[in-house]
Structure formats: structure tokens, C-alpha cells
Amino acid sequence: MRSCGWAGTILRVDLSSGAIERQPLEAGFARAFLGGQGFAEKLIFDACDFSERDPFSAKNVLCVAPGALSGTLTPGSGRLTVAVGLSPSLGGYLDANAGGGFASELKWANYDAIVITGQAPHPVYLRIADDQVELRDARQLWGKRVRECDHLLQHEVALTQYARLIIGPAGENRVHGSMPTCDLFRAPSAGSTGAVFGAKNLKAIVVKGTRGVPVARPAEAFAAFRAVYEKNRAEARFKRFGEQGTKWLVELSGTLTCQYNMQVRDFPYEHLSIERFRKEFASGSKACHACFQHCDHHWQINSGDFSGEQGSGGEAGTIIPLGPMCGVSDYATILHLTNLVNDLGLDSITAGCAVATAMHWWQEGLLTAADTGGLRLEWGDAQAEEQLILQIAERRGFGAVLAEGTFAAAGELARRRGLELARLTSLIRSNKKRREVPADFRPLKGMAFSRALDIRECDVLNTDTLMAEGNVDYERYRHIGVPEPVARQWADSYICNPMVFDDKSLAKFYSDNHLSVCNSLGICQRFTTWAQMRMGLEDIARCFSAVTGIDVTWEDLHQAGDRIRQLEQAMQLLHGFRKADDYFPDAYYNSPVTQGRFEGAELDRGEYTTELENLYRLRGWDKDGRPTAAHLHQAGLDDVAAKLRAVELLAP
């Protein structure tokens, strides 16, 4: 299939045999699963052996997929999905997402997805230049950090302005929280996908495309793009995102995150103000492909220990875990650590949470210098933090213990020191799926509801109910692009009240579908309703219709989002997840915040369960979260129903 929007080809790479095959994209498949996350999920579902529990097995499936609109000028359409059939850190299916230029280059090279299986006999990298696809020896690159590897690749690949995914030492060493760094500074950060690259001996993927993407109705497409641009440009938040990125959220989230969510009152958040960053460090704006918002920054450190160091990135999701969560408030140090984790190929949230956990254990006397090899892990000790991050990536010293993840580290410490395991695990901030939760969301019920259900860390493309909460009414919902019947339902509910659980399932249901659509089309959430900008599903449907020539409504896209969610739930059930995993640990419930601005706030387990079962009902699942055959049939997923029925995981 070579049509408008999609490239028309799935690229399959078997690293064990070295075989490279091109599979034509089927029209029905494309329309049902859209691209990006949707393609990755279905391709992995079809290829995954769910009985295999070793994420580093050659059987594990890796998929890289641009969105259906990536490569066009659709606003914010530069997002890429990186997904694995079995995540080392989750123990289930997981997809991550990154901006930059990789998604567009892959589409321009004529590929809608790369499916990678097997295990190379020695380190290799995948070079793609339009029709020229080859595996090349990467033994000379193994052991190199990301930037050094990129520098060496520039002399090898004989391409100009190519895009790349590269793993650092963390991925090679199969570290919990490792990732392939995208274009040096972008992070498909969730789920330890870098460790799967490392296990497969795949050091990097580089791609250069020159084919472009055909658009079915160019004048209509340009009008749809321009309408989004004009609406968003009129928003005050557009200017704020463009000038400040998400760094303004650092001060806002202050009392929720400092010293691993301990609600410290006197942390100097003013040291991390966006005004200080812009005055002392920012050197220019940076944008992904097709982004007119350019929320990222280039920066430079002009004085002190790291004087002369330059980089990009460092949004709230990086600054908070590497800074306040570990008690560090020096901006230059945090930017330096941002460069470090990108260069090592480590997810900043997971790395920051691991260090903060160790520091918390240290404060409680559960960890001593005898355990850390002399490293003293006091709150705010940035040098100790840097040393521990290096140890984690290189699997040496106490870092080798944390490299397996905080829960595994707790088990090892309990064994070594004869401690009660619960004393250690009670200080790890995560949901029941053991996904890091880098803030105390007990005061915010919608955020808490989302984070308890999440399969990946908090990031810009993760799901939550923010679009529906706060000082919002019907007019405001319509203003930010919520379709009329949904806006009317929300306005007549308790969704906008962040202090109660009531009706949060309604917001979560719509929000999850919305995000699955965006992740499948490659659209950044910063342009959309999710960020309270004005690109809603109706706008997205107009862009999709004009680019592909296939007329769809917002309801069609919403149903596609539900289909993708059904598929994801089926995979997690096949991997062993159950209703009991859709909660926070027991200690989060009926346990009030004891100090700080939100003192007294707590989560009620009964109220939470009511909303959880309401969400299941909206999805067509039973009270245990199992899909029904009828709903899967309606979604065109009879093959999924058959696989669930075979192992008695369909709802009766």
C-alpha cells in the first residue's frame, strides 16, 4: 500500500540471521491502528511469545514507529514510538515516546515501522538511507557514551543530517531505566527499552530519508494546519510554553516533590525559577519537526565548576527528579546532570528516583557507608548523586545493586543486612506496577487515579486527567477542543474538582483514547487539549482526513483510541497483570499527608475502587478488568479475543 500519509512499508529486521525484509502496509491495518503506538502494539501482539518471561531473550520484540502524520507539516507531528513486547522494568508491554527528527526521517525513507527481533552475534548498528538498509559492525562503538558514539558514527555512515537512536553504557549493561537517546537530547524514556537494545547487541539506528510524504489534499491540509496554529497562537499558554517550556512547572510542583516527596517546607525553589534559567543559562529555543511552539532550549553554563558546558533539554521531568527530589537546588549542577544521563543513555526520572530512594534509605539508617562503598548519600549532595548515577550506568559499586531497579535493590539490601523488606519498599514511590511516581499526588485525585494505573513514568505524553480538572466549565472545555457531547457531560459532573474521585473515570476514558490517537498519529500533546491548548480531536480529524484522503470524524478517532487501549489491556493480561495491579501500594490509601501545603489530604481506597470499576465498565470490561468478546468483536479484534479465550482471560 502506497497512499497518502503512510509510507507503505513495514521494515522487519532479524538480528539473529541478519535478514531484512520489507512488508507492504495493508490498508485495513493502517486504518484500524493509525500508526506510531497503534502500529507498535499490533505488530508486537502478533509477534510476541507471551510465555517468554526473559526480557533479554532473543524472542523479545522491539518496534520503532513514527506517527501516521509524521513527516508532514501537521502541527507537532514529530513524535516517535519506541516499544517492547516485554519491558525489563515493567514485566509487560510498554511503549515510550520521543520528539526530535527521527520520526520524520524514517517516514521520508519510506517506512511506517521497524520490527526488530532476534539477537545479533556481536554489536551492530542499523543504517537506513531510503532503500539502502544494512546492518553494520558496531564493535568499535561498543562501550562508548552516546555523544562519542555519535561523533564516531559521523565518520562512518556517510550521511548528512541523519537522525539517530543510540544507546550508551546503561543500555549495553542492561540497566533498569536505560533508553536509546534520540538525536542526542531526546528521550523515549520509559520502560528500559535501552536494555533491550543492549541485549540484542543493537548499538544504534541511523536513518536518512529523502522521499517525503505525499499529502492527499494539500490546500485543505494547509488550511487545517493553519487553523490550529492561529488558535493556539492566541493562547497565553502558547507563549508560555514557547518561551519557558515546562520549566515553569518546577516551582509549581515544589511542595509535592522535594526530597522524594517529603513535603519539605524550606527548599529554595526560587533557585530553580524559569526567570533564572532564561537569564543565566538559555542560549536559544529548540523545536522538533513541524513544531511552531519550540518549547525546548539550548543552554550554556557560563561560570562555576561546569563553565563552558552546553546542552539541550532539561524540562520539568528532568529537573525535578535530578534536582529537588534529591535535595539539589543548584541549576548549573542539574543541567550538568541532564547532560550526563543523556550521554549514559539513562532515563532521568528513573535515575533520579533511584538516587532519591537510596538517599531516603540513608536518612532512615537503612543504608550505610559499608553498603555504598563509602559514598555518603545525604540530601543535596550533588557529587554523591553524580557518582551514584555513573555507578548505576556502569554497574559497579552500590550502583550495580540499583541497576536492577529499586525494588530489586531493596530485596538485595534486605537479604544482606537482615532487614524487613517492607521497611525498604515502603520508601519507594511507585504504583503497584512498580512504575516510579515522582511526586506525591494524594492531594490531586485525578492525577492520583492516573498515576496508579500508569504503565510508565510521568512524562509529557503519559495519560492523566489534567485536561478536565481545575477551574473549567462547559465553555472552557469547548474552547480547548473537547467535543460538544463530551464537554456537556463533563460540565455536568465532578470532573473539574481535583479534591474528589467522583467522575474521574469519565476523564480518564476520554483522555486515554485521546492520547492513544495522538501517540499513533505522532502529535505532541503540547498542542492539544491535554495541555489545555486548542487542538482537539475534531481538529486532528480534519488534519488526518486532509493528509490521508480518508474522511474521519472525531468519533472515528476516539474509537480507534479505544481499540488501541483494548489491545494494550489484552497484552498486559497475557503478561500476568490483574486488577490488583491497578492500585497504589496499600500505604498510600487512608494515610494523610502529614505536613506542608496539602497536610491532611488522603486517598480513600473505596472511592478509588468505585472509579476504577467505572472505568472498566466504560471500556466494556468486567469488574476484574477482563474484556468481553462482544466488545472486542465490535472493535475488530476477534484475533485478540481468541488469544484471550485460549487462556481463559476473556470476561464470562
Side-chain angles (χ1 to χ4, degrees):
M1 167 192 169
R2 175 59 173 168
S3 62
C4 295
W6 296 286
T9 304
I10 305 294
L11 187 65
R12 293 185 177 275
V13 179
D14 183 341
L15 293 170
S16 296
S17 66
I20 296 172
E21 298 179 359
R22 293 169 178 79
Q23 174 187 339
L25 181 69
E26 296 179 2
F29 174 88
R31 294 184 187 189
F33 299 101
L34 303 179
Q37 179 189 353
F39 277 12
E41 285 193 7
K42 190 61 168 71
L43 291 166
I44 285 175
F45 177 84
D46 290 343
C48 189
D49 178 354
F50 291 96
S51 67
E52 176 59 62
R53 299 309 302 158
D54 179 5
F56 303 130
S57 162
K59 292 181 178 179
N60 202 359
V61 186
L62 181 64
C63 186
V64 178
L69 301 181
S70 297
T72 73
L73 292 178
T74 306
S77 58
R79 306 296 303 194
L80 176 77
T81 291
V82 179
V84 291
L86 182 59
S87 160
S89 54
L90 179 67
Y93 163 85
L94 193 142
D95 54 74
N97 198 285
F102 195 99
S104 301
E105 289 290 347
L106 191 57
K107 285 291 287 289
W108 296 337
N110 246 7
Y111 302 104
D112 294 296
I114 310 171
V115 181
I116 301 168
T117 54
Q119 185 178 51
H122 59 76
V124 297
Y125 71 93
L126 181 64
R127 179 186 183 277
I128 303 171
D130 293 336
D131 289 338
Q132 299 176 358
V133 182
E134 57 184 322
L135 289 168
R136 289 186 170 184
D137 196 332
R139 280 175 282 199
Q140 74 283 12
L141 305 173
W142 205 250
K144 308 298 184 188
R145 294 189 184 183
V146 170
R147 287 201 213 188
E148 183 180 3
C149 178
D150 182 63
H151 179 73
L152 294 170
L153 278 171
Q154 290 175 22
H155 299 286
E156 289 210 10
V157 299
L159 298 172
T160 57
Q161 296 184 327
Y162 58 91
R164 59 280 202 202
L165 289 170
I166 302 172
I167 63 167
E172 294 176 11
N173 293 324
R174 306 181 184 185
V175 167
H176 178 94
S178 58
M179 62 176 190
T181 302
C182 180
D183 295 340
L184 302 185
F185 301 108
R186 302 289 181 179
S189 57
S192 307
T193 54
V196 178
F197 271 68
K200 290 185 175 300
N201 278 328
L202 181 60
K203 178 67 178 178
I205 304 174
V206 299
V207 58
K208 177 66 181 178
T210 64
R211 303 287 177 75
V213 177
V215 172
R217 304 194 288 257
E220 181 183 327
F222 189 75
F225 304 160
R226 187 164 190 85
V228 172
Y229 169 70
E230 295 293 349
K231 285 197 297 185
N232 277 3
R233 193 178 64 159
E235 294 295 295
R237 185 169 284 208
F238 170 79
K239 184 179 181 184
R240 172 177 261 188
F241 272 131
E243 293 179 349
Q244 304 179 4
T246 58
K247 294 180 178 68
W248 60 277
L249 291 168
V250 175
E251 283 187 279
L252 181 68
S253 62
T255 58
L256 295 174
T257 60
C258 181
Q259 291 182 190
Y260 211 14
N261 315 338
M262 290 177 67
Q263 311 282 340
V264 175
R265 290 174 183 269
D266 56 355
F267 186 83
Y269 266 92
E270 66 276 12
H271 292 185
L272 300 176
S273 68
I274 180 60
E275 290 78 15
R276 180 162 184 240
F277 173 81
R278 293 177 67 188
K279 180 180 179 182
E280 298 184 23
F281 303 104
S283 58
S285 296
K286 184 180 179 185
C288 299
H289 169 78
C291 176
F292 53 79
Q293 198 168 61
H294 51 74
C295 64
D296 199 0
H297 295 89
H298 298 289
W299 49 260
Q300 178 169 315
I301 302 172
N302 296 306
S303 63
D305 293 341
F306 310 112
S307 181
E309 189 167 337
Q310 299 176 334
S312 295
E315 294 302 309
T318 295
I319 294 171
I320 290 172
L322 295 179
M325 195 175 290
C326 296
V328 174
S329 60
D330 180 70
Y331 223 132
T333 297
I334 296 170
L335 293 175
H336 166 72
L337 293 173
T338 300
N339 263 354
L340 180 67
V341 294
N342 283 335
D343 210 22
L344 295 170
L346 261 182
D347 162 31
S348 58
I349 294 177
T350 304
C353 286
V355 174
T357 301
M359 286 181 165
H360 206 165
W361 287 340
W362 179 277
Q363 312 308 316
E364 298 295 325
L366 301 172
L367 192 63
T368 69
D371 303 302
T372 64
L375 207 57
R376 299 183 62 80
L377 298 175
E378 303 289 352
W379 291 123
D381 189 334
Q383 290 185 342
E385 181 181 1
E386 179 171 355
Q387 287 304 308
L388 191 51
I389 288 172
L390 285 166
Q391 288 185 10
I392 292 170
E394 296 167 358
R395 277 191 181 272
R396 56 183 174 80
F398 181 62
V401 179
L402 283 175
E404 296 293 333
T406 50
F407 281 92
E412 178 61 18
L413 275 177
R415 185 191 66 78
R416 288 183 184 181
R417 302 199 59 200
L419 296 170
E420 183 185 356
L421 180 60
R423 292 184 65 193
L424 293 150
T425 56
S426 66
L427 300 180
I428 300 174
R429 308 306 188 200
S430 75
N431 61 21
K432 274 287 190 73
K433 301 182 185 73
R434 300 189 172 185
R435 311 310 308 130
E436 287 84 359
V437 179
D440 185 347
F441 290 116
R442 280 178 292 178
L444 304 172
K445 302 302 183 287
M447 291 289 283
F449 188 58
S450 294
R451 296 292 170 251
L453 293 165
D454 280 348
I455 64 168
R456 67 194 212 201
E457 302 84 350
C458 176
D459 63 54
V460 66
L461 293 190
N462 211 339
T463 59
D464 59 42
T465 58
L466 269 181
M467 66 172 69
E469 292 184 270
N471 185 23
V472 196
D473 56 17
Y474 173 80
E475 286 72 24
R476 178 64 183 168
Y477 287 139
R478 290 293 291 142
H479 181 77
I480 60 175
V482 178
E484 197 280 334
V486 180
R488 191 162 299 285
Q489 181 190 43
W490 287 5
D492 293 333
S493 75
Y494 288 98
I495 284 178
C496 65
N497 185 347
M499 306 302 290
V500 300
F501 274 119
D502 302 59
D503 299 323
K504 296 301 183 289
S505 57
L506 296 174
K508 181 70 173 163
F509 176 63
Y510 179 85
S511 176
D512 282 355
N513 289 352
H514 168 96
L515 266 81
S516 287
V517 169
C518 291
N519 290 345
S520 299
L521 301 184
I523 293 175
C524 178
Q525 296 305 319
R526 298 254 171 85
F527 284 77
T528 77
T529 305
W530 178 86
Q532 300 212 9
M533 298 297 283
R534 298 188 62 187
M535 189 180 189
L537 279 184
E538 291 159 312
D539 301 287
I540 294 171
R542 281 191 281 274
C543 293
F544 180 87
S545 300
V547 168
T548 64
I550 300 170
D551 291 321
V552 299
T553 64
W554 75 265
E555 292 95 335
D556 295 328
L557 292 181
H558 193 254
Q559 289 172 8
D562 179 68
R563 182 179 301 113
I564 293 164
R565 287 286 159 176
Q566 299 290 341
L567 189 53
E568 179 180 315
Q569 177 70 358
M571 285 196 282
Q572 306 305 24
L573 287 168
L574 289 166
H575 277 304
F577 287 97
R578 298 293 183 266
K579 181 181 182 181
D581 300 302
D582 283 343
Y583 285 82
F584 279 122
D586 293 343
Y588 274 72
Y589 298 96
N590 306 109
S591 172
V593 176
T594 57
Q595 58 180 324
R597 185 187 303 176
F598 300 105
E599 183 175 346
E602 64 179 335
L603 304 180
D604 184 283
R605 188 182 181 91
E607 293 174 0
Y608 175 88
T609 299
T610 297
E611 278 311 293
L612 178 64
E613 293 179 353
N614 285 341
L615 179 63
Y616 287 175
R617 186 165 53 253
L618 289 168
R619 286 273 173 229
W621 303 342
D622 69 4
K623 279 194 169 186
D624 292 320
R626 294 174 298 181
T628 63
H631 196 91
L632 291 177
H633 175 73
Q634 188 178 23
L637 298 173
D638 287 331
D639 58 333
V640 177
K643 192 168 284 191
L644 291 177
R645 184 181 294 109
V647 290
E648 301 182 347
L649 285 173
L650 263 185

